[in-house]
Amino acid sequence: MLDRGEALKVAEALLQQERGPYDPELEIDYENTEIRGNLLIAPFNSPEYLESRDPHDMLLDCWPILVDLTSGEARLGTIEDRSLWQDE
């Protein structure tokens, strides 16, 4: 079972792996990562947005990274996964 720090490293690696040559710089939003059940939910966006929190700086279509703490597997979230991170 991964701890939070290990899961964040897995999320960081996936973010770098998924980033294409023409994609903007992206960073994990460490302030808003959370663990729900056995998943680490790691949102990400542009460094400009993470610093300002101004919606005008926000990049769209940045679904959180989901890291399974049991298996260590990570993937990008999808629209079907929204219930995992939305408040009830």
Side-chain angles (χ1 to χ4, degrees):
M1 180 123 175
L2 299 178
D3 65 25
R4 184 184 201 95
E6 293 167 328
L8 283 170
K9 288 181 183 187
V10 171
E12 291 166 352
L14 180 66
L15 184 59
Q16 290 308 312
Q17 174 186 326
E18 291 292 324
R19 190 167 167 242
Y22 300 106
D23 289 340
E25 185 177 345
L26 299 169
E27 292 181 3
I28 301 284
D29 183 356
Y30 296 100
E31 190 175 307
N32 288 311
T33 60
E34 61 181 302
I35 293 177
R36 289 196 181 180
N38 68 337
L39 281 179
L40 172 81
I41 300 169
F44 63 93
N45 214 289
S46 71
E48 295 80 16
Y49 170 72
L50 297 178
E51 185 173 323
S52 71
R53 300 294 177 173
D54 182 337
H56 293 101
D57 294 331
M58 182 186 290
L59 297 176
L60 303 177
D61 201 27
C62 292
W63 298 97
I65 295 169
L66 305 175
V67 181
D68 184 311
L69 299 175
T70 305
S71 68
E73 293 181 20
R75 65 181 178 86
L76 294 173
T78 66
I79 195 165
E80 290 83 16
D81 296 319
R82 284 180 22 185
S83 64
L84 296 174
W85 61 79
Q86 287 186 325
D87 292 328
E88 299 171 14

